[in-house]
Amino acid sequence: MPTCYAALDDRLLVIEDDDWMARERPVADSLECVAATPERPGRVFVGTVDAGLQYSTDGGDSWTTGLDTDDRVTAVTVSPHDPDVIWAGTEPSRVYRSTDGGDSWSERPGLQDLPSASRWSFPPRPDTHHVRWIAVDPTDPDRLSVAIEAGALVRTDDAGEHWEDHPDGARRDNHTLGTHPDAPERVYTAAGDGYAESRDRGDTWSFPQSGLDHRYVWGLAVGADPDDVVVSAATGARDAHSTEGESYVYRRTEDGWERAMSGLPGPDGLARAVLAAHDGRFYALTNHGLFASEDGTAWSALDLAWPDEYRQLPRGLAVV
């Protein structure tokens, strides 16, 4: 039975399938991201605004500071190849690696030396930028794709010893990246300038947009089949990141994108959903609760209390 780690603005919820009860776990005042792995289901990593990277080995009952930094920790990923290899990204844009389960960290050099770095800028705070997502290649533990918000998608083939700059044609406002073990050459991205995918590990890109009426794309999850993709999207950032805005969930089909809102609240008053996939099932964390779907088309709310104080902007979701 899965455990869901749901990061809201100011609290982490641990939601377990035995009773679908949300247990609050205090971490920090402002959360940014969350990651966990089925190989260590009781261990969870949470990136924060002002408390560095926190991690727990007991399902959130107690916490240890891993990456101790004054920077925002805006991305965290557990390697699918080794559960003790953890990747983290910060604002301003830096990438760190731990090889001992989060106890110690080393910065991977040279990221901000890339030529495109002079163009990186996060509009609400235009003097900075950050790593929004880190995706590890399913077949190569040293190959990473890194989303910089906003300005670039960069890559490395040697675990961050050297970096490849933004490839021609790639999206620049990347939010969530995806990969799939059955199609390791594919990279998927949900970006503020639209959805895109690559079939050659990011060298070239295509932009299937048919039916995707809202092009500010935020959440992304890939199901059991590499062609089974769901995204969350809005008209723009203002709608996406507001609990009083308007956003949608879409599912990819052979004929293009179709809205997949059956069972979900909104779209009015629905902030952009954070999406995840686990054991062939999709999950959507929203400001109205946590929803599950067998096919990414019709959704059901998990039967758990969702008081007014939970009606926040969702920050991250890990299902293990």
Side-chain angles (χ1 to χ4, degrees):
M1 297 296 183
T3 296
C4 302
Y5 293 105
L8 307 180
D9 269 333
D10 66 359
R11 68 197 71 195
L12 180 75
L13 305 180
V14 182
I15 304 166
E16 295 176 313
D17 198 11
D18 56 353
D19 56 8
W20 288 128
M21 179 179 294
R23 296 180 291 119
E24 291 189 28
R25 290 296 179 260
V27 184
D29 291 335
S30 298
L31 310 186
E32 286 278 355
C33 54
V34 64
T37 175
E39 295 179 277
R40 304 280 194 278
R43 190 180 64 183
V44 56
F45 298 86
V46 176
T48 76
V49 170
D50 52 15
L53 183 73
Q54 300 288 316
Y55 74 94
S56 171
T57 58
D58 53 17
D61 289 339
S62 61
W63 294 92
T64 299
T65 299
L67 179 58
D68 188 5
T69 174
D70 292 331
D71 296 336
R72 292 172 182 251
V73 178
T74 50
V76 61
T77 298
V78 182
S79 173
H81 305 280
D82 184 341
D84 288 328
V85 175
I86 320 299
W87 294 92
T90 64
E91 179 182 300
S93 298
R94 297 185 178 92
V95 170
Y96 296 84
R97 181 181 64 172
S98 172
T99 59
D100 55 12
D103 288 337
S104 62
W105 295 81
S106 61
E107 181 180 355
R108 314 316 291 156
L111 186 66
Q112 294 191 43
D113 296 332
L114 292 170
S116 71
S118 62
R119 302 190 298 273
W120 302 351
S121 176
F122 185 54
R125 299 185 292 277
D127 56 338
T128 189
H129 42 77
H130 54 251
V131 174
R132 173 50 63 192
W133 201 272
I134 302 171
V136 182
D137 186 284
T139 59
D140 184 347
D142 291 336
R143 183 174 180 83
L144 279 68
S145 297
V146 175
I148 305 294
E149 189 180 23
L153 189 150
V154 302
R155 298 172 293 169
T156 177
D157 289 329
D158 54 12
E161 292 295 330
H162 304 87
W163 296 96
E164 299 176 37
D165 207 350
H166 185 80
D168 290 341
R171 296 300 194 195
R172 294 191 176 274
D173 188 19
N174 299 282
H175 297 140
T176 305
L177 304 179
T179 60
H180 197 286
D182 293 339
E185 72 285 351
R186 292 198 194 184
V187 181
Y188 313 77
T189 180
D193 43 346
Y195 175 83
E197 62 183 49
S198 171
R199 297 196 175 219
D200 53 16
R201 290 183 164 87
D203 288 340
T204 61
W205 292 85
S206 62
F207 312 99
Q209 308 297 307
S210 177
L212 189 63
D213 300 324
H214 302 82
R215 300 297 176 86
Y216 186 91
V217 190
W218 181 266
L220 180 149
V222 186
D225 188 289
D227 291 323
D228 200 4
V229 184
V230 294
V231 299
S232 59
T235 302
R238 185 181 298 274
D239 268 339
H241 302 304
S242 171
T243 57
E244 298 179 355
E246 177 184 314
S247 69
Y248 297 80
V249 171
Y250 287 84
R251 180 179 181 272
R252 182 89 181 273
T253 72
E254 292 182 356
D255 299 322
W257 296 94
E258 63 181 15
R259 294 186 189 184
M261 297 294 292
S262 177
L264 291 174
D268 292 341
L270 180 66
R272 81 292 182 276
V274 177
L275 303 169
H278 178 72
D279 282 348
R281 201 180 194 194
F282 290 102
Y283 294 83
L285 177 64
T286 78
N287 52 308
H288 294 277
L290 182 60
F291 297 78
S293 174
E294 298 298 332
D295 59 3
T297 299
W299 300 83
S300 299
L302 300 190
D303 187 18
L304 71 160
W306 203 262
D308 287 344
E309 56 264 33
Y310 291 0
R311 294 182 180 270
Q312 308 175 16
L313 192 68
R315 291 295 182 180
L317 178 63
V319 184
V320 296

